[in-house]
Amino acid sequence: MASARGSPTRRGDLIEPARAIPVFAEHDVLVLGGGPAGIAAAASAAAHGADVLLVERYGFLGGMGTAAGVTNFCGLHANVHGEIRQVVHGVVDELLDRMRALDGLSDPHLIFGRIHAQAYDMSAYKCAADALLVARGVHVLFHALGVGVVRHEDGAIDALVLETRSGRVAVRARTFIDCSGDGDLAHRAGIALEKGDDTGRLLYPTLMFRVGNVDPARAGEAWRSIPQRMEEAEAAGEFRFPRRGAIVRPQKHETEWRVNVTQLRDAEGRAIDGTDAQSLSDAEIEGRRQVVEYLRFLRAKVPGFEDAYTLDIAPQVGIRETRRLAADYMLTADDVLRCADFADSIGVNGWPIENHVAGDVVWKWTPEGSRGYNQLPFRMLVPRRSVGSGATNVLVAGRCAGMTHEGQSAARVSGACFVMGEAAGAAAALALREHVAARDIDIALLQRALEDAGVFLGST
Ligand SMILES: Cc1cc2nc3c(=O)[nH]c(=O)nc-3n(C[C@H](O)[C@H](O)[C@H](O)COP(=O)(O)OP(=O)(O)OC[C@H]3O[C@@H](n4cnc5c(N)ncnc54)[C@H](O)[C@@H]3O)c2cc1C
C-alpha cells in the first residue's frame, strides 16, 4: 500500500537560461483550471461582460469530476429542516439541463437517509461543459499547463506562463482566478497558502474506477451489503482493504457502477501529496493495484458482479486536498456544523464534513432538523491582505479556496465549488467594469448580480 520510493532527491540545481516567451493572447479575465469552480467562474465572468480565457491542462473540462472519475455531484442539495432541496443554483442549472438533454444525468439519490447526491455520465459532463462555455463566448485553451507568472512592479500579476503543445507561451490578463484545485497560480505568485491540518496531514486520495456488465437485478441495492461483505472477507483472511466506508453505486446506465474505495498512502502511512511528482506517480501504480484487487473481491463476493469488468480507471488519482488559500476568511468545520451566516454570502454549502482519514471516512452532520446549510463568504476567495504578495488582481475559488482542513472536507465538493467559481467570475467582471480590484468589489453589487443570475444566497 505504501510508496517505497518517496520524493526524488535533489541533486543540485541547474540555471535555466533566460529566454523570450511569445505573448499568445490578452484577455480581461484568465481562469486557471476547468473543474466545477473554473467552469462556473468562466461562464459567470463572460455572462457579466468580460472577455475570458479558461486554461486547462487536460483536453476536457470537469476537473476531478471527470479527470478523477468522480461521476457524482455532491453539495447541490441540502437537508433544510428535514426537507431535501437543491440549494446551489446559477450557472450549474444550465450545466445540469445540458447534461440531462444528453441523457447523462441521473435523478438525485438519497444517501445515509439524509442528503441527496446526483450521479452523472462523464462524457455528458465533458460535452455539456464545452457547450456551456462555447455558448457564453469563453475562449478555452486545452492541453496548456500553467507553470509560472510574470508580475508587474507593484506585485500584481501581468501574465501566466503556459507550457502548451505549441511551446511555452504567456497570456496576459487584468484579473486572474485560480481554480486549479491545487492553488498552482497562487503558489507561483508567492501568495500565502496552507496545506493539511495542524500536523500537515491531508485528506487521503482515492483512485476511482467504474465497473461494467453488472447484473442490476441480482445486484439490487448491493451498496447496502458491500461493507458487511468486506468485513466478512477480511475476517476470513481472504482480502485486505485499504479503507472502510466503501462507496459502490450504480450510474445512470444501471449495468455501470462507480467504485470509491481505494486509499493512497506514502511509506509513512500519510496521505500522498498531490503536489509531489514522485508521490503522485507511486500513487497511480498503487491505486491500480488496489483496483485489480477490489474487482477480484466484487466478482467473488457480491451477487450480480460475477461477470463485471473494469470499464475504466480514472485518468488520474483523485486528489481531495492539497494547498488552500490563506484567505481573508477561512471557512471552518464549526461554520459548516452550526450553519453559519455571513454578511458577504455568495451562496451556500449543504454538504457535511466528509473527512478521509487513515483507513476510514468520518462524517459529521449539522444537527437534525437544522437549516442544513452554511453560507459561504466572499472573503474566502480573497488572498489575506496581511500576508499578501502584492498580487491584488487574483481570486482563488474551489477546493483550494480559504478553508481550514476540516472546513474544506465539506465545502470542497462540486456544489460549493460551483458557488465559489460563479462568485469569483462575477466579481472579476464587475470589478473591471467598476474600475476596482476584484477583491474590493462592492458586496451588495456582487450579491445583486448573483441573485439576478439565479444564485441562492441562503438569506431566506
Ligand atoms: C476520489 C474523489 C471522490 C470525490 N467524490 C465526490 C463526489 O462524489 N461528489 C462531489 O461533488 N465531489 C466529490 N469529490 C470532490 C470534488 O470532485 C472536487 O473537490 C471538485 O472537483 C473540486 O473542484 P475544483 O474546480 O476546485 O478543482 P478540480 O476539480 O480539482 O479542478 C481543477 C482543474 O484545474 C486543472 N489544473 C490544475 N492545475 C493546473 C495547471 N497548473 N495548469 C492547467 N490546469 C490545471 C486540473 O486539470 C483540473 O481540471 C471527490 C474528490 C475525489 C478526489
Side-chain angles (χ1 to χ4, degrees), residues 32-37 56-58 63-64 70 72-74 144-146 179-181 184 206 208 260 318-320 398-399 412-414 417:
L32 182 66
E56 167 56 50
R57 70 176 148 177
Y58 293 128
M64 291 297 124
V70 163
N72 186 55
F73 289 130
C74 295
L145 181 71
C179 297
S180 66
D184 271 21
T206 293
M208 298 280 294
N260 178 342
I319 301 297
R320 293 187 169 87
R399 68 179 168 88
R412 69 187 164 83
V413 296
S414 309
C417 290

PDB file of all heavy atoms in Angstrom, residues 32-37 56-58 63-64 70 72-74 144-146 179-181 184 206 208 260 318-320 398-399 412-414 417, ligand 1:
ATOM      1  N   LEU A  32      -7.688  29.767 -14.382  1.00  0.00           N
ATOM      2  CA  LEU A  32      -6.812  28.592 -14.471  1.00  0.00           C
ATOM      3  C   LEU A  32      -7.543  27.387 -13.883  1.00  0.00           C
ATOM      4  O   LEU A  32      -7.835  27.358 -12.682  1.00  0.00           O
ATOM      5  CB  LEU A  32      -5.498  28.815 -13.715  1.00  0.00           C
ATOM      6  CG  LEU A  32      -4.520  27.632 -13.823  1.00  0.00           C
ATOM      7  CD1 LEU A  32      -4.012  27.447 -15.256  1.00  0.00           C
ATOM      8  CD2 LEU A  32      -3.334  27.790 -12.874  1.00  0.00           C
ATOM      9  N   GLY A  33      -7.839  26.397 -14.738  1.00  0.00           N
ATOM     10  CA  GLY A  33      -8.466  25.168 -14.263  1.00  0.00           C
ATOM     11  C   GLY A  33      -9.916  25.071 -14.692  1.00  0.00           C
ATOM     12  O   GLY A  33     -10.678  26.019 -14.553  1.00  0.00           O
ATOM     13  N   GLY A  34     -10.282  23.899 -15.231  1.00  0.00           N
ATOM     14  CA  GLY A  34     -11.628  23.708 -15.778  1.00  0.00           C
ATOM     15  C   GLY A  34     -12.465  22.721 -14.998  1.00  0.00           C
ATOM     16  O   GLY A  34     -13.262  21.985 -15.572  1.00  0.00           O
ATOM     17  N   GLY A  35     -12.305  22.688 -13.656  1.00  0.00           N
ATOM     18  CA  GLY A  35     -13.196  21.892 -12.814  1.00  0.00           C
ATOM     19  C   GLY A  35     -14.479  22.662 -12.559  1.00  0.00           C
ATOM     20  O   GLY A  35     -14.743  23.685 -13.210  1.00  0.00           O
ATOM     21  N   PRO A  36     -15.302  22.203 -11.600  1.00  0.00           N
ATOM     22  CA  PRO A  36     -16.552  22.912 -11.321  1.00  0.00           C
ATOM     23  C   PRO A  36     -16.331  24.391 -11.026  1.00  0.00           C
ATOM     24  O   PRO A  36     -17.091  25.245 -11.514  1.00  0.00           O
ATOM     25  CB  PRO A  36     -17.138  22.189 -10.107  1.00  0.00           C
ATOM     26  CG  PRO A  36     -16.223  21.062  -9.768  1.00  0.00           C
ATOM     27  CD  PRO A  36     -15.161  20.969 -10.801  1.00  0.00           C
ATOM     28  N   ALA A  37     -15.309  24.721 -10.243  1.00  0.00           N
ATOM     29  CA  ALA A  37     -15.066  26.135  -9.924  1.00  0.00           C
ATOM     30  C   ALA A  37     -14.698  26.909 -11.187  1.00  0.00           C
ATOM     31  O   ALA A  37     -15.219  28.003 -11.432  1.00  0.00           O
ATOM     32  CB  ALA A  37     -13.958  26.256  -8.878  1.00  0.00           C
ATOM     33  N   GLU A  56      -6.731  24.958 -19.308  1.00  0.00           N
ATOM     34  CA  GLU A  56      -6.878  23.644 -18.670  1.00  0.00           C
ATOM     35  C   GLU A  56      -5.792  22.706 -19.197  1.00  0.00           C
ATOM     36  O   GLU A  56      -5.548  22.642 -20.387  1.00  0.00           O
ATOM     37  CB  GLU A  56      -8.289  23.096 -18.976  1.00  0.00           C
ATOM     38  CG  GLU A  56      -8.521  21.630 -18.671  1.00  0.00           C
ATOM     39  CD  GLU A  56      -8.217  21.231 -17.219  1.00  0.00           C
ATOM     40  OE1 GLU A  56      -8.703  21.907 -16.299  1.00  0.00           O
ATOM     41  OE2 GLU A  56      -7.480  20.234 -17.025  1.00  0.00           O
ATOM     42  N   ARG A  57      -5.183  21.960 -18.262  1.00  0.00           N
ATOM     43  CA  ARG A  57      -4.059  21.104 -18.666  1.00  0.00           C
ATOM     44  C   ARG A  57      -4.504  19.861 -19.439  1.00  0.00           C
ATOM     45  O   ARG A  57      -3.727  19.291 -20.202  1.00  0.00           O
ATOM     46  CB  ARG A  57      -3.257  20.681 -17.450  1.00  0.00           C
ATOM     47  CG  ARG A  57      -3.978  19.703 -16.560  1.00  0.00           C
ATOM     48  CD  ARG A  57      -3.129  19.231 -15.409  1.00  0.00           C
ATOM     49  NE  ARG A  57      -4.002  18.971 -14.283  1.00  0.00           N
ATOM     50  CZ  ARG A  57      -3.615  18.483 -13.126  1.00  0.00           C
ATOM     51  NH1 ARG A  57      -2.359  18.218 -12.919  1.00  0.00           N
ATOM     52  NH2 ARG A  57      -4.466  18.269 -12.168  1.00  0.00           N
ATOM     53  N   TYR A  58      -5.751  19.416 -19.191  1.00  0.00           N
ATOM     54  CA  TYR A  58      -6.244  18.257 -19.941  1.00  0.00           C
ATOM     55  C   TYR A  58      -6.989  18.730 -21.192  1.00  0.00           C
ATOM     56  O   TYR A  58      -7.132  19.925 -21.409  1.00  0.00           O
ATOM     57  CB  TYR A  58      -7.173  17.407 -19.075  1.00  0.00           C
ATOM     58  CG  TYR A  58      -6.474  16.721 -17.917  1.00  0.00           C
ATOM     59  CD1 TYR A  58      -6.954  16.840 -16.624  1.00  0.00           C
ATOM     60  CD2 TYR A  58      -5.324  15.963 -18.111  1.00  0.00           C
ATOM     61  CE1 TYR A  58      -6.317  16.218 -15.555  1.00  0.00           C
ATOM     62  CE2 TYR A  58      -4.679  15.338 -17.051  1.00  0.00           C
ATOM     63  CZ  TYR A  58      -5.180  15.467 -15.777  1.00  0.00           C
ATOM     64  OH  TYR A  58      -4.548  14.855 -14.734  1.00  0.00           O
ATOM     65  N   GLY A  63     -12.645  18.774 -14.289  1.00  0.00           N
ATOM     66  CA  GLY A  63     -11.725  18.653 -13.152  1.00  0.00           C
ATOM     67  C   GLY A  63     -11.772  17.254 -12.556  1.00  0.00           C
ATOM     68  O   GLY A  63     -11.867  16.253 -13.278  1.00  0.00           O
ATOM     69  N   MET A  64     -11.738  17.189 -11.226  1.00  0.00           N
ATOM     70  CA  MET A  64     -11.784  15.873 -10.572  1.00  0.00           C
ATOM     71  C   MET A  64     -13.050  15.116 -10.993  1.00  0.00           C
ATOM     72  O   MET A  64     -13.074  13.889 -11.009  1.00  0.00           O
ATOM     73  CB  MET A  64     -11.764  16.016  -9.045  1.00  0.00           C
ATOM     74  CG  MET A  64     -10.456  16.504  -8.480  1.00  0.00           C
ATOM     75  SD  MET A  64      -9.100  15.366  -8.807  1.00  0.00           S
ATOM     76  CE  MET A  64      -7.971  16.440  -9.628  1.00  0.00           C
ATOM     77  N   VAL A  70     -14.995  11.079 -10.707  1.00  0.00           N
ATOM     78  CA  VAL A  70     -15.903  11.229  -9.559  1.00  0.00           C
ATOM     79  C   VAL A  70     -17.347  10.823  -9.904  1.00  0.00           C
ATOM     80  O   VAL A  70     -18.011  10.143  -9.122  1.00  0.00           O
ATOM     81  CB  VAL A  70     -15.825  12.678  -9.016  1.00  0.00           C
ATOM     82  CG1 VAL A  70     -17.007  13.008  -8.125  1.00  0.00           C
ATOM     83  CG2 VAL A  70     -14.518  12.864  -8.245  1.00  0.00           C
ATOM     84  N   ASN A  72     -20.310  11.984  -9.838  1.00  0.00           N
ATOM     85  CA  ASN A  72     -21.392  12.144  -8.871  1.00  0.00           C
ATOM     86  C   ASN A  72     -21.319  13.549  -8.275  1.00  0.00           C
ATOM     87  O   ASN A  72     -20.284  13.920  -7.735  1.00  0.00           O
ATOM     88  CB  ASN A  72     -21.174  11.097  -7.758  1.00  0.00           C
ATOM     89  CG  ASN A  72     -22.288  11.034  -6.766  1.00  0.00           C
ATOM     90  OD1 ASN A  72     -23.436  10.857  -7.130  1.00  0.00           O
ATOM     91  ND2 ASN A  72     -21.946  11.172  -5.495  1.00  0.00           N
ATOM     92  N   PHE A  73     -22.402  14.323  -8.394  1.00  0.00           N
ATOM     93  CA  PHE A  73     -22.408  15.654  -7.785  1.00  0.00           C
ATOM     94  C   PHE A  73     -22.861  15.562  -6.335  1.00  0.00           C
ATOM     95  O   PHE A  73     -23.942  15.047  -6.052  1.00  0.00           O
ATOM     96  CB  PHE A  73     -23.363  16.589  -8.527  1.00  0.00           C
ATOM     97  CG  PHE A  73     -22.895  16.998  -9.900  1.00  0.00           C
ATOM     98  CD1 PHE A  73     -23.733  16.879 -10.996  1.00  0.00           C
ATOM     99  CD2 PHE A  73     -21.619  17.514 -10.101  1.00  0.00           C
ATOM    100  CE1 PHE A  73     -23.323  17.260 -12.269  1.00  0.00           C
ATOM    101  CE2 PHE A  73     -21.186  17.903 -11.370  1.00  0.00           C
ATOM    102  CZ  PHE A  73     -22.041  17.772 -12.457  1.00  0.00           C
ATOM    103  N   CYS A  74     -22.070  16.100  -5.445  1.00  0.00           N
ATOM    104  CA  CYS A  74     -22.474  16.269  -4.052  1.00  0.00           C
ATOM    105  C   CYS A  74     -22.552  17.765  -3.780  1.00  0.00           C
ATOM    106  O   CYS A  74     -21.873  18.565  -4.426  1.00  0.00           O
ATOM    107  CB  CYS A  74     -21.455  15.657  -3.098  1.00  0.00           C
ATOM    108  SG  CYS A  74     -21.311  13.875  -3.250  1.00  0.00           S
ATOM    109  N   ALA A 144      -2.851  22.897 -21.868  1.00  0.00           N
ATOM    110  CA  ALA A 144      -1.978  24.024 -21.502  1.00  0.00           C
ATOM    111  C   ALA A 144      -1.785  23.994 -19.990  1.00  0.00           C
ATOM    112  O   ALA A 144      -2.760  24.079 -19.236  1.00  0.00           O
ATOM    113  CB  ALA A 144      -2.620  25.338 -21.936  1.00  0.00           C
ATOM    114  N   LEU A 145      -0.558  23.858 -19.577  1.00  0.00           N
ATOM    115  CA  LEU A 145      -0.239  23.750 -18.148  1.00  0.00           C
ATOM    116  C   LEU A 145       0.322  25.077 -17.647  1.00  0.00           C
ATOM    117  O   LEU A 145       1.333  25.555 -18.179  1.00  0.00           O
ATOM    118  CB  LEU A 145       0.798  22.630 -17.944  1.00  0.00           C
ATOM    119  CG  LEU A 145       1.230  22.365 -16.500  1.00  0.00           C
ATOM    120  CD1 LEU A 145       0.105  21.719 -15.700  1.00  0.00           C
ATOM    121  CD2 LEU A 145       2.469  21.460 -16.476  1.00  0.00           C
ATOM    122  N   GLY A 146      -0.325  25.662 -16.658  1.00  0.00           N
ATOM    123  CA  GLY A 146       0.178  26.901 -16.061  1.00  0.00           C
ATOM    124  C   GLY A 146       1.423  26.595 -15.246  1.00  0.00           C
ATOM    125  O   GLY A 146       1.369  25.781 -14.325  1.00  0.00           O
ATOM    126  N   CYS A 179      -8.463  28.471 -10.176  1.00  0.00           N
ATOM    127  CA  CYS A 179      -9.410  27.374  -9.920  1.00  0.00           C
ATOM    128  C   CYS A 179      -8.694  26.059 -10.198  1.00  0.00           C
ATOM    129  O   CYS A 179      -9.278  25.100 -10.695  1.00  0.00           O
ATOM    130  CB  CYS A 179     -10.633  27.493 -10.828  1.00  0.00           C
ATOM    131  SG  CYS A 179     -11.596  28.986 -10.567  1.00  0.00           S
ATOM    132  N   SER A 180      -7.397  26.022  -9.896  1.00  0.00           N
ATOM    133  CA  SER A 180      -6.593  24.846 -10.246  1.00  0.00           C
ATOM    134  C   SER A 180      -6.750  23.707  -9.251  1.00  0.00           C
ATOM    135  O   SER A 180      -6.195  22.631  -9.449  1.00  0.00           O
ATOM    136  CB  SER A 180      -5.113  25.241 -10.336  1.00  0.00           C
ATOM    137  OG  SER A 180      -4.647  25.613  -9.053  1.00  0.00           O
ATOM    138  N   GLY A 181      -7.487  23.930  -8.179  1.00  0.00           N
ATOM    139  CA  GLY A 181      -7.646  22.880  -7.166  1.00  0.00           C
ATOM    140  C   GLY A 181      -6.446  22.772  -6.244  1.00  0.00           C
ATOM    141  O   GLY A 181      -6.583  22.487  -5.060  1.00  0.00           O
ATOM    142  N   ASP A 184      -2.221  26.361  -7.832  1.00  0.00           N
ATOM    143  CA  ASP A 184      -0.984  26.464  -8.623  1.00  0.00           C
ATOM    144  C   ASP A 184      -0.604  27.903  -8.949  1.00  0.00           C
ATOM    145  O   ASP A 184       0.562  28.283  -8.841  1.00  0.00           O
ATOM    146  CB  ASP A 184      -1.137  25.687  -9.949  1.00  0.00           C
ATOM    147  CG  ASP A 184      -0.730  24.238  -9.804  1.00  0.00           C
ATOM    148  OD1 ASP A 184      -0.712  23.733  -8.662  1.00  0.00           O
ATOM    149  OD2 ASP A 184      -0.430  23.600 -10.838  1.00  0.00           O
ATOM    150  N   THR A 206      -8.006   9.016  -3.522  1.00  0.00           N
ATOM    151  CA  THR A 206      -8.618   7.759  -3.982  1.00  0.00           C
ATOM    152  C   THR A 206      -8.495   7.689  -5.493  1.00  0.00           C
ATOM    153  O   THR A 206      -8.786   8.676  -6.177  1.00  0.00           O
ATOM    154  CB  THR A 206     -10.124   7.751  -3.610  1.00  0.00           C
ATOM    155  OG1 THR A 206     -10.245   7.684  -2.190  1.00  0.00           O
ATOM    156  CG2 THR A 206     -10.866   6.581  -4.233  1.00  0.00           C
ATOM    157  N   MET A 208     -10.382   6.421  -8.475  1.00  0.00           N
ATOM    158  CA  MET A 208     -11.751   5.954  -8.749  1.00  0.00           C
ATOM    159  C   MET A 208     -11.751   5.028  -9.955  1.00  0.00           C
ATOM    160  O   MET A 208     -10.930   5.160 -10.851  1.00  0.00           O
ATOM    161  CB  MET A 208     -12.648   7.146  -9.073  1.00  0.00           C
ATOM    162  CG  MET A 208     -12.793   8.160  -7.967  1.00  0.00           C
ATOM    163  SD  MET A 208     -13.961   7.672  -6.694  1.00  0.00           S
ATOM    164  CE  MET A 208     -15.504   7.694  -7.603  1.00  0.00           C
ATOM    165  N   ASN A 260     -15.676   3.831  -5.229  1.00  0.00           N
ATOM    166  CA  ASN A 260     -14.863   4.804  -4.493  1.00  0.00           C
ATOM    167  C   ASN A 260     -14.384   4.086  -3.235  1.00  0.00           C
ATOM    168  O   ASN A 260     -15.063   4.070  -2.217  1.00  0.00           O
ATOM    169  CB  ASN A 260     -15.755   6.011  -4.172  1.00  0.00           C
ATOM    170  CG  ASN A 260     -15.057   7.088  -3.361  1.00  0.00           C
ATOM    171  OD1 ASN A 260     -14.029   6.834  -2.742  1.00  0.00           O
ATOM    172  ND2 ASN A 260     -15.621   8.274  -3.343  1.00  0.00           N
ATOM    173  N   GLY A 318      -7.568  10.647  -7.719  1.00  0.00           N
ATOM    174  CA  GLY A 318      -8.437  11.718  -7.247  1.00  0.00           C
ATOM    175  C   GLY A 318      -7.842  12.387  -6.020  1.00  0.00           C
ATOM    176  O   GLY A 318      -7.654  11.761  -4.978  1.00  0.00           O
ATOM    177  N   ILE A 319      -7.548  13.681  -6.171  1.00  0.00           N
ATOM    178  CA  ILE A 319      -6.918  14.440  -5.082  1.00  0.00           C
ATOM    179  C   ILE A 319      -7.980  15.285  -4.389  1.00  0.00           C
ATOM    180  O   ILE A 319      -8.622  16.123  -5.015  1.00  0.00           O
ATOM    181  CB  ILE A 319      -5.796  15.351  -5.642  1.00  0.00           C
ATOM    182  CG1 ILE A 319      -4.727  14.510  -6.355  1.00  0.00           C
ATOM    183  CG2 ILE A 319      -5.178  16.200  -4.527  1.00  0.00           C
ATOM    184  CD1 ILE A 319      -3.986  13.538  -5.464  1.00  0.00           C
ATOM    185  N   ARG A 320      -8.138  15.056  -3.100  1.00  0.00           N
ATOM    186  CA  ARG A 320      -9.164  15.803  -2.367  1.00  0.00           C
ATOM    187  C   ARG A 320      -8.631  17.129  -1.829  1.00  0.00           C
ATOM    188  O   ARG A 320      -9.358  18.106  -1.745  1.00  0.00           O
ATOM    189  CB  ARG A 320      -9.702  14.961  -1.202  1.00  0.00           C
ATOM    190  CG  ARG A 320     -10.469  13.737  -1.676  1.00  0.00           C
ATOM    191  CD  ARG A 320     -11.153  13.001  -0.537  1.00  0.00           C
ATOM    192  NE  ARG A 320     -12.076  12.020  -1.060  1.00  0.00           N
ATOM    193  CZ  ARG A 320     -11.752  10.770  -1.397  1.00  0.00           C
ATOM    194  NH1 ARG A 320     -10.500  10.343  -1.255  1.00  0.00           N
ATOM    195  NH2 ARG A 320     -12.657   9.950  -1.889  1.00  0.00           N
ATOM    196  N   GLY A 398     -12.854  27.345  -5.390  1.00  0.00           N
ATOM    197  CA  GLY A 398     -12.878  25.880  -5.474  1.00  0.00           C
ATOM    198  C   GLY A 398     -12.204  25.252  -4.278  1.00  0.00           C
ATOM    199  O   GLY A 398     -12.070  25.870  -3.212  1.00  0.00           O
ATOM    200  N   ARG A 399     -11.728  24.031  -4.460  1.00  0.00           N
ATOM    201  CA  ARG A 399     -11.220  23.281  -3.298  1.00  0.00           C
ATOM    202  C   ARG A 399      -9.937  23.867  -2.710  1.00  0.00           C
ATOM    203  O   ARG A 399      -9.538  23.484  -1.618  1.00  0.00           O
ATOM    204  CB  ARG A 399     -11.058  21.787  -3.648  1.00  0.00           C
ATOM    205  CG  ARG A 399      -9.967  21.452  -4.647  1.00  0.00           C
ATOM    206  CD  ARG A 399      -9.918  19.944  -4.881  1.00  0.00           C
ATOM    207  NE  ARG A 399      -9.083  19.629  -6.014  1.00  0.00           N
ATOM    208  CZ  ARG A 399      -7.771  19.425  -5.971  1.00  0.00           C
ATOM    209  NH1 ARG A 399      -7.137  19.486  -4.813  1.00  0.00           N
ATOM    210  NH2 ARG A 399      -7.099  19.144  -7.056  1.00  0.00           N
ATOM    211  N   ARG A 412     -15.400  21.332  -0.210  1.00  0.00           N
ATOM    212  CA  ARG A 412     -14.596  21.020  -1.399  1.00  0.00           C
ATOM    213  C   ARG A 412     -15.432  20.323  -2.473  1.00  0.00           C
ATOM    214  O   ARG A 412     -14.964  20.160  -3.598  1.00  0.00           O
ATOM    215  CB  ARG A 412     -13.431  20.096  -1.018  1.00  0.00           C
ATOM    216  CG  ARG A 412     -13.895  18.719  -0.641  1.00  0.00           C
ATOM    217  CD  ARG A 412     -12.831  17.816  -0.092  1.00  0.00           C
ATOM    218  NE  ARG A 412     -13.431  16.675   0.569  1.00  0.00           N
ATOM    219  CZ  ARG A 412     -13.858  15.581  -0.047  1.00  0.00           C
ATOM    220  NH1 ARG A 412     -13.721  15.467  -1.346  1.00  0.00           N
ATOM    221  NH2 ARG A 412     -14.422  14.607   0.625  1.00  0.00           N
ATOM    222  N   VAL A 413     -16.643  19.851  -2.133  1.00  0.00           N
ATOM    223  CA  VAL A 413     -17.405  19.080  -3.125  1.00  0.00           C
ATOM    224  C   VAL A 413     -17.940  19.997  -4.221  1.00  0.00           C
ATOM    225  O   VAL A 413     -17.923  21.225  -4.087  1.00  0.00           O
ATOM    226  CB  VAL A 413     -18.540  18.241  -2.486  1.00  0.00           C
ATOM    227  CG1 VAL A 413     -17.968  17.174  -1.564  1.00  0.00           C
ATOM    228  CG2 VAL A 413     -19.551  19.117  -1.784  1.00  0.00           C
ATOM    229  N   SER A 414     -18.424  19.374  -5.297  1.00  0.00           N
ATOM    230  CA  SER A 414     -18.755  20.137  -6.503  1.00  0.00           C
ATOM    231  C   SER A 414     -19.693  21.305  -6.237  1.00  0.00           C
ATOM    232  O   SER A 414     -19.491  22.400  -6.772  1.00  0.00           O
ATOM    233  CB  SER A 414     -19.403  19.223  -7.544  1.00  0.00           C
ATOM    234  OG  SER A 414     -18.625  18.087  -7.741  1.00  0.00           O
ATOM    235  N   CYS A 417     -18.061  24.305  -4.922  1.00  0.00           N
ATOM    236  CA  CYS A 417     -17.079  24.803  -5.899  1.00  0.00           C
ATOM    237  C   CYS A 417     -17.775  25.582  -7.017  1.00  0.00           C
ATOM    238  O   CYS A 417     -17.267  26.608  -7.482  1.00  0.00           O
ATOM    239  CB  CYS A 417     -16.253  23.643  -6.458  1.00  0.00           C
ATOM    240  SG  CYS A 417     -15.124  22.949  -5.224  1.00  0.00           S
TER     241      CYS A 417
HETATM  242  C1  LIG B   1     -11.855  10.459  -5.185  1.00  0.00           C
HETATM  243  C2  LIG B   1     -12.727  11.649  -5.058  1.00  0.00           C
HETATM  244  C3  LIG B   1     -14.093  11.478  -4.934  1.00  0.00           C
HETATM  245  C4  LIG B   1     -14.922  12.574  -4.842  1.00  0.00           C
HETATM  246  N1  LIG B   1     -16.266  12.390  -4.792  1.00  0.00           N
HETATM  247  C5  LIG B   1     -17.072  13.458  -4.944  1.00  0.00           C
HETATM  248  C6  LIG B   1     -18.458  13.272  -5.174  1.00  0.00           C
HETATM  249  O1  LIG B   1     -18.980  12.165  -5.178  1.00  0.00           O
HETATM  250  N2  LIG B   1     -19.199  14.396  -5.401  1.00  0.00           N
HETATM  251  C7  LIG B   1     -18.651  15.656  -5.412  1.00  0.00           C
HETATM  252  O2  LIG B   1     -19.362  16.623  -5.651  1.00  0.00           O
HETATM  253  N3  LIG B   1     -17.359  15.845  -5.170  1.00  0.00           N
HETATM  254  C8  LIG B   1     -16.558  14.778  -4.973  1.00  0.00           C
HETATM  255  N4  LIG B   1     -15.217  14.967  -4.824  1.00  0.00           N
HETATM  256  C9  LIG B   1     -14.690  16.343  -4.703  1.00  0.00           C
HETATM  257  C10 LIG B   1     -14.729  17.133  -5.993  1.00  0.00           C
HETATM  258  O3  LIG B   1     -14.675  16.342  -7.127  1.00  0.00           O
HETATM  259  C11 LIG B   1     -13.606  18.138  -6.061  1.00  0.00           C
HETATM  260  O4  LIG B   1     -13.297  18.652  -4.808  1.00  0.00           O
HETATM  261  C12 LIG B   1     -14.008  19.251  -7.011  1.00  0.00           C
HETATM  262  O5  LIG B   1     -13.963  18.715  -8.321  1.00  0.00           O
HETATM  263  C13 LIG B   1     -13.081  20.426  -6.879  1.00  0.00           C
HETATM  264  O6  LIG B   1     -13.373  21.337  -7.888  1.00  0.00           O
HETATM  265  P1  LIG B   1     -12.328  22.448  -8.319  1.00  0.00           P
HETATM  266  O7  LIG B   1     -12.901  23.086  -9.538  1.00  0.00           O
HETATM  267  O8  LIG B   1     -11.993  23.270  -7.152  1.00  0.00           O
HETATM  268  O9  LIG B   1     -10.987  21.663  -8.664  1.00  0.00           O
HETATM  269  P2  LIG B   1     -10.720  20.404  -9.591  1.00  0.00           P
HETATM  270  O10 LIG B   1     -11.949  19.624  -9.820  1.00  0.00           O
HETATM  271  O11 LIG B   1      -9.542  19.736  -8.997  1.00  0.00           O
HETATM  272  O12 LIG B   1     -10.323  21.064 -10.984  1.00  0.00           O
HETATM  273  C14 LIG B   1      -9.095  21.732 -11.159  1.00  0.00           C
HETATM  274  C15 LIG B   1      -8.783  21.772 -12.633  1.00  0.00           C
HETATM  275  O13 LIG B   1      -7.609  22.550 -12.824  1.00  0.00           O
HETATM  276  C16 LIG B   1      -6.743  21.882 -13.730  1.00  0.00           C
HETATM  277  N5  LIG B   1      -5.388  22.304 -13.383  1.00  0.00           N
HETATM  278  C17 LIG B   1      -4.766  22.150 -12.191  1.00  0.00           C
HETATM  279  N6  LIG B   1      -3.535  22.710 -12.221  1.00  0.00           N
HETATM  280  C18 LIG B   1      -3.383  23.220 -13.463  1.00  0.00           C
HETATM  281  C19 LIG B   1      -2.325  23.923 -14.092  1.00  0.00           C
HETATM  282  N7  LIG B   1      -1.196  24.233 -13.444  1.00  0.00           N
HETATM  283  N8  LIG B   1      -2.480  24.286 -15.386  1.00  0.00           N
HETATM  284  C20 LIG B   1      -3.630  23.973 -16.054  1.00  0.00           C
HETATM  285  N9  LIG B   1      -4.672  23.331 -15.493  1.00  0.00           N
HETATM  286  C21 LIG B   1      -4.554  22.964 -14.210  1.00  0.00           C
HETATM  287  C22 LIG B   1      -6.988  20.417 -13.471  1.00  0.00           C
HETATM  288  O14 LIG B   1      -6.619  19.614 -14.573  1.00  0.00           O
HETATM  289  C23 LIG B   1      -8.494  20.395 -13.213  1.00  0.00           C
HETATM  290  O15 LIG B   1      -9.234  20.226 -14.384  1.00  0.00           O
HETATM  291  C24 LIG B   1     -14.368  13.883  -4.866  1.00  0.00           C
HETATM  292  C25 LIG B   1     -12.997  14.063  -4.993  1.00  0.00           C
HETATM  293  C26 LIG B   1     -12.182  12.956  -5.081  1.00  0.00           C
HETATM  294  C27 LIG B   1     -10.731  13.177  -5.238  1.00  0.00           C
END
